[in-house]
């Protein structure tokens, strides 16, 4: 199987070609090296050791676990577990709901994230800073400071709880999947992750 780094680099290169069609991407979910890379990406995060609804963490992770996940993906028996619901306090005194996925789901989600990021990140505007690697509100402010020297003030806004209440939040993901991914991968993602 090909190295995940090479696969991800190739996805990035092809994403810049609007005519390129990604095909058979689901095969990458059968590559154990993707799960090892996913584990490397998330194991240091303190949330990685938080147990999901099944009570398991990433502690004691091994190749047997990866092979079990891959086999369940191949024979279409993989089903994501319900997220364990927890609430964390916000500054205003309210509570923010937090869904904690199972350890296996964290790994599968990280593999999906790596692939989606490789495909879509190169196509995003350089003026976009939200929820992107190596970007934040601080990089946005630096860009504003550098590019908008004649501006006296800015108005900042927030769409409160948009994804908590909007039925349309699912539609954007479906649209992106339809544009870039082949039918087999669409079917696989739809029946595995939703």
């Amino acid at each position: 199987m090909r190295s995940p780094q090479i696969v991800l680099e190739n996805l990035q290169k092809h994403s810049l070609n609007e005519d390129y069609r990604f095909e058979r991407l689901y095969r990458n979910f059968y590559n154990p090296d993707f799960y090892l890379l996913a584990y490397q990406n998330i194991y240091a995060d303190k949330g990685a050791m938080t147990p999901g609804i099944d009570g398991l963490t990433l502690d004691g992770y091994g190749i047997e676990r990866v092979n079990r996940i891959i086999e369940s993906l191949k024979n279409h028996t993989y089903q994501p577990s319900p997220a364990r619901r927890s609430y964390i306090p916000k500054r205003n005194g309210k509570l923010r709901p937090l869904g904690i996925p199972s350890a296996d789901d964290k790994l599968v989600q990280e593999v999906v994230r790596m692939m989606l990021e490789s495909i879509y990140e190169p196509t995003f505007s350089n003026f976009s800073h939200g929820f992107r690697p190596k970007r934040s509100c601080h990089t946005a402010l630096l860009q504003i400071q550098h590019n908008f020297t004649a501006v006296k003030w800015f108005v900042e806004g927030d769409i409160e709880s948009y994804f908590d209440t909007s039925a349309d939040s699912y539609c954007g993901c479906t649209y992106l999947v339809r544009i870039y991914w082949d039918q087999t991968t669409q079917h696989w993602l739809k029946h595995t992750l939703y």
Side-chain angles (χ1 to χ4, degrees):
M1 299 223 160
R2 293 188 308 166
S3 159
Q5 288 87 352
I6 292 172
V7 171
L8 296 173
E9 287 171 12
N10 286 335
L11 291 175
Q12 284 179 345
K13 280 190 254 179
H14 292 306
S15 70
L16 297 172
N17 178 355
E18 291 181 19
D19 296 325
Y20 186 82
R21 302 297 292 177
F22 296 98
E23 296 182 4
R24 300 187 317 259
L25 290 173
Y26 63 90
R27 296 178 310 166
N28 294 301
F29 294 101
Y30 305 153
N31 182 345
D33 292 337
F34 262 99
Y35 295 90
L36 297 174
L37 181 59
Y39 177 75
Q40 287 178 343
N41 289 347
I42 62 178
Y43 83 96
D45 181 22
K46 61 183 177 182
M49 293 305 158
T50 306
I53 201 161
D54 58 2
L56 299 174
T57 67
L58 289 177
D59 194 30
Y61 169 84
I63 196 67
E64 303 83 27
R65 196 165 176 179
V66 169
N67 289 335
R68 186 175 40 79
I69 293 170
I70 290 172
E71 189 56 38
S72 68
L73 290 169
K74 282 182 178 178
N75 64 27
H76 302 283
T77 59
Y78 176 82
Q79 288 292 316
S81 301
R84 182 170 63 86
R85 180 65 74 185
S86 182
Y87 293 90
I88 57 175
K90 293 167 65 172
R91 280 188 188 169
N92 64 6
K94 294 182 179 181
L95 296 175
R96 181 169 70 95
L98 184 65
I100 303 169
S102 71
D104 290 351
D105 292 345
K106 288 177 189 177
L107 289 172
V108 174
Q109 289 170 4
E110 178 61 12
V111 172
V112 171
R113 187 205 60 78
M114 289 187 298
M115 291 180 62
L116 288 174
E117 186 175 280
S118 293
I119 292 170
Y120 294 112
E121 180 63 27
T123 65
F124 289 154
S125 166
N126 283 332
F127 296 104
S128 173
H129 292 266
F131 303 101
R132 292 184 61 196
K134 299 181 181 137
R135 291 178 184 244
S136 66
C137 59
H138 302 291
T139 60
L141 290 171
L142 287 172
Q143 189 173 44
I144 288 170
Q145 186 178 31
H146 178 72
N147 292 334
F148 296 93
T149 55
V151 175
K152 300 264 188 236
W153 50 273
F154 281 92
V155 176
E156 185 263 339
D158 186 17
I159 303 173
E160 183 177 345
S161 302
Y162 175 76
F163 290 107
D164 294 342
T165 58
S166 173
D168 293 335
S169 61
Y170 169 78
C171 297
C173 293
T174 304
Y175 176 71
L176 291 175
V177 168
R178 253 187 230 130
I179 290 174
Y180 286 98
W181 296 46
D182 64 279
Q183 286 184 335
T184 305
T185 305
Q186 284 182 50
H187 181 270
W188 184 88
L189 283 172
K190 183 177 181 183
H191 288 87
T192 302
L193 300 178
Y194 296 113

